[in-house]
Amino acid sequence: MTFLMGPALLFCPADRPERYQKAADRADAVILDLEDAVAPAEKQRARGAILAQLGAGEGPELDPSRTIVRINPAGTEEFAKDLHCLAHTPYRTVMLAKAESAAQLEALEGYQVIALCETALGILNAPAIAAAPNVVALMWGAEDLLATLGGTSSRMADGGYRAVALHARSAVLLAARAFGKETVDSVYVDIPDVAGLAVESADAVASGFGSKACIHPAQVAAVRAAYAPSAADIEAAQALLSAAAAANSGVFAFEGKMIDGPILKHAEATLRRAAQNG
């Protein structure tokens, strides 16, 4: 199973069905959120809203290939109700909130799972979670993680992540890639700070994250821009790969620099992103 959605994934509260199609139209994929974005008293209504828009005839249904449903943590009463709801929908990509063990994934057989590692136990168990056969991607969550640690904020005054958050981010990325799974970078909660989002998105690309989650439609453009290589980037990657083909050797010099296998993989990744962005 391969996770092909992205690069901009937009959360939408599941109890706001009037926003479903707008979110889907503005992002590469929509995440219908049955967990934190919905108050406990409204969760049943949110599940009903997901079911109600199917075959309603009042507008286009959400495309299952571009729709993710974030469900409540495994073992909870709400988790069981979420699965009962999903069984009556065409949606088969779910995001498991607060994923903490590979055993939890067994209840999601038949679904493609984005495991959201956002607790201390989830971060420590990220490799085992990534190895689960129905997991297609890992995501990490900063604020929930700090809450489980008894902290107050994942970021410092300058907007940068604290060391423990950076450790978690790297741990999830390494675990996912070690098992050939995709990765989703955490949300940027300061919605007006588009410049900060652009910097963080560019770092996500350079680090190897396959996509980034958004909490507002205004964030989509910055994420897409970060993942779309510039014309100059594409030209440079093509020139480098052409030079490699001509050199026909493991190591060669190009524009005054030594080039070997890893550098060529960077160029190939640039062209793959270019292809994905049309």
Side-chain angles (χ1 to χ4, degrees), residues 120-212:
L121 187 57
I123 300 299
L124 292 178
N125 286 338
I129 293 170
N134 56 339
V135 168
V136 294
L138 260 59
M139 178 176 166
W140 76 290
E143 298 310 323
D144 277 285
L145 172 62
L146 266 292
T148 68
L149 298 177
T152 58
S153 173
S154 66
R155 297 182 186 267
M156 297 179 288
D158 64 0
Y161 278 122
R162 298 185 186 282
V164 66
L166 287 175
H167 172 80
R169 184 177 190 242
S170 298
V172 168
L173 174 62
L174 290 169
R177 292 307 191 189
F179 290 93
K181 307 299 174 70
E182 263 300 349
T183 48
V184 182
D185 198 22
S186 190
V187 298
Y188 193 83
V189 297
D190 190 350
I191 296 171
D193 184 16
V194 178
L197 171 63
V199 170
E200 188 165 289
S201 298
D203 180 73
V205 174
S207 298
F209 283 93
S211 57
K212 188 168 179 64

Side-chain angles (χ1 to χ4, degrees), residues 75-171:
T76 65
E77 183 178 344
E78 299 297 345
F79 172 81
K81 292 179 179 179
D82 291 346
L83 291 190
H84 180 75
C85 168
L86 286 172
H88 296 86
T89 77
Y91 306 128
R92 288 298 176 267
T93 302
V94 300
M95 178 180 289
L96 177 60
K98 299 174 179 63
E100 293 189 325
S101 72
Q104 294 175 340
L105 281 303
E106 295 175 4
L108 292 170
E109 183 179 358
Y111 291 93
Q112 295 188 85
V113 184
I114 302 170
L116 177 48
C117 301
E118 52 185 340
T119 67
L121 187 57
I123 300 299
L124 292 178
N125 286 338
I129 293 170
N134 56 339
V135 168
V136 294
L138 260 59
M139 178 176 166
W140 76 290
E143 298 310 323
D144 277 285
L145 172 62
L146 266 292
T148 68
L149 298 177
T152 58
S153 173
S154 66
R155 297 182 186 267
M156 297 179 288
D158 64 0
Y161 278 122
R162 298 185 186 282
V164 66
L166 287 175
H167 172 80
R169 184 177 190 242
S170 298

